[in-house]
Amino acid sequence: MELKLHQFDLPLKHTFTITHESRDVQPTLIVELSWHGKSGFGEATETPYYGITMEKMVAQVESIRHLLPNDILPHPTDFWKMLSKTLLDDHPFTLCALDVAYWDLWGKTHNKALYEIWGLDISNNPITDYTIGIDTVETMVSKMREMPFPLYKIKLGTDQDLEIVEALRKETDAVFRVDANTAWTPEQTIYFAPELKKLGVEFIEQPLKADDWEGMKRIYQASELPIIADESCILEEDVAKCAGYFHGVNIKLMKCGGLTPALRMIQQAKSLGLKVMVGCMTESTIGCSAIAQLLPLLDFVDMDGCLLVDDQISKGITIDYGKVYYAKASGTGAELIR
C-alpha cells in the first residue's frame, strides 16, 4: 500500500469566529492511501483548540507507515483497531484521516458507495444546516442573505446573544439551531431556552463547559429546548456519560477517530435514547463526503464545512439549499483534484 500526504491552506470565505477562536485560513492534511491503482482519501484539519498542528499530524502518520498492509486488505474495522493502539488516545484527528482514507479505498475496491456497503437507505436523509459565525449583527445578516438556507446554525457566546437571534429572525423564517460553544452558565441557558424556542430555535448545542455535569443535569431537567452535547462528547466512552445530561450528541469524525468509531457511537447513542447529530470542522469536500455516508443514520447533521471554505482542492458531494447530493462514485465519492 502506498501512502501520500497532501498539505493545503483552505481560505475561508469569511472570518470564522466562535467563542474559542477566529480564523481566516484553515490548514488541512489530506491522507491518500493507494492500492492497485485505486486511491482513498481522508482529511484532518489543524485545530489549535485541541492542540492539533500540521507538524504533529504529519509525524503521527509517518510513525505508522510501517504498519500499512502489503499483501491483503484487512477489513476497515480491523485496520482501525490496529492503528488505534498507537494513535487513538492522543491523535484521533490523524486516526480519522487514515480511517476515512481506508474506508474510501475499501469502497472503491468493492465498487460501492459506503452507504451501500452498510446497507443504508438514503431516501430520507436529513438536510444540513449552514453555520453563521459570531460577528456584528449586520455581518451575520449579510452572511444569511449571501447563503439563503432553510436551516441555520447560529454561533453564540456574546453579551447580546438573545438580541442577535431576534435580529436574525427578522430576516428569515428558516429553522435555527444555536451553539454556545461552552460560553453560557446554567442560569443563562434555562432563561434563554423559552425565549429561543419562541424565536424558532430547534435546539441548543453545548451551552456549558464540557466538564460541568452538575450544571448540565439542571439544564437537562429544566430546559424547554433539547440540549445537544459537543465538547462533552468526544470519544466512544463519552456517549454513555451524556445519557441523562443531554438529549442528544454531536459526533465529529476527527474528534472520535473516524468513521469506524462513529458508527459504534451512533448505535450506542440510539440504544440510550439519545438523538444523533454528526458535525464537521471547517474542512474540504473530502471530509464532508465521508460524513454524507452516515446521513441515513442521523437525526441532525451539520456538514457545511465545505461551504465555508474556498475548496479548490477536492470534489465529491454537493449541497444545494441544505440537501446533500452524492457523487456518482464509489467509496465516499471524494477525489483530490490538485
Side-chain angles (χ1 to χ4, degrees), residues 48-79:
Y49 179 73
Y50 289 101
I52 308 298
T53 66
M54 187 66 64
E55 183 179 19
K56 286 182 180 179
M57 289 192 293
V58 170
Q60 290 156 11
V61 173
E62 293 297 341
S63 74
I64 58 83
R65 187 183 285 270
H66 68 287
L67 297 175
L68 297 177
N70 291 315
D71 301 321
I72 60 171
L73 289 180
H75 190 274
T77 57
D78 294 324
F79 180 73

Side-chain angles (χ1 to χ4, degrees), residues 253-270:
L253 301 188
M254 292 185 203
K255 294 181 183 180
C256 74
L259 287 165
T260 300
L263 286 164
R264 295 193 293 259
M265 292 172 75
I266 291 168
Q267 183 179 23
Q268 183 182 16
K270 289 186 173 185

Side-chain angles (χ1 to χ4, degrees), residues 127-147:
I127 64 172
T128 181
D129 55 39
Y130 181 77
T131 303
I132 306 295
I134 296 172
D135 213 313
T136 64
V137 170
E138 292 76 15
T139 301
M140 295 173 81
V141 168
S142 176
K143 290 177 183 178
M144 290 174 57
R145 291 174 178 170
E146 181 182 300
M147 183 66 76

Side-chain angles (χ1 to χ4, degrees), residues 146-213:
E146 181 182 300
M147 183 66 76
F149 240 63
L151 180 60
Y152 291 104
K153 180 175 179 177
I154 313 299
K155 293 287 189 177
L156 298 176
T158 74
D159 294 332
Q160 296 86 35
D161 284 343
L162 199 56
E163 291 83 355
I164 288 172
V165 180
E166 288 172 341
L168 298 184
R169 173 50 68 210
K170 294 176 183 178
E171 299 295 323
T172 179
D173 59 1
V175 175
F176 287 167
R177 298 164 176 172
V178 300
D179 184 359
N181 281 117
T182 76
W184 292 350
T185 65
E187 292 75 18
Q188 283 178 303
T189 309
I190 293 168
Y191 170 75
F192 285 150
E195 300 303 315
L196 293 172
K197 186 176 182 179
K198 294 174 187 175
L199 291 167
V201 171
E202 184 178 25
F203 61 71
I204 299 169
E205 188 176 341
Q206 195 68 46
L208 309 186
K209 300 297 182 185
D211 59 355
D212 188 358
W213 295 100

Side-chain angles (χ1 to χ4, degrees), residues 12-13 16 23 127-133 147 149 151-155 177 250 252 277-285 287-289 291-292 295 301-311 317-319 322 324:
L12 289 163
K13 293 179 179 178
F16 189 74
R23 57 184 179 274
I127 64 172
T128 181
D129 55 39
Y130 181 77
T131 303
I132 306 295
M147 183 66 76
F149 240 63
L151 180 60
Y152 291 104
K153 180 175 179 177
I154 313 299
K155 293 287 189 177
R177 298 164 176 172
N250 183 1
K252 293 186 177 175
M277 178 178 182
V278 166
C280 65
M281 311 300 278
T282 42
E283 58 197 89
S284 78
T285 303
C288 289
S289 294
I291 294 171
L295 282 173
V301 68
D302 170 33
M303 52 176 292
D304 63 338
C306 56
L307 300 178
L308 301 175
V309 300
D310 182 13
D311 181 7
I317 58 102
T318 56
I319 300 172
V324 178

Side-chain angles (χ1 to χ4, degrees), residues 1 4 17 25 51 53 61 84 92 94 102 105 109 121 124 127 147 173 197 233 247 292 294 299 311 313-314 338:
M1 177 174 287
K4 294 180 182 177
T17 299
V25 174
T53 66
V61 173
S84 68
T94 305
Y102 194 88
L105 178 62
T109 59
D121 178 4
N124 292 303
I127 64 172
M147 183 66 76
D173 59 1
K197 186 176 182 179
C233 187
H247 301 91
L294 300 169
D299 298 294
D311 181 7
I313 68 164
S314 62
R338 57 176 266 196

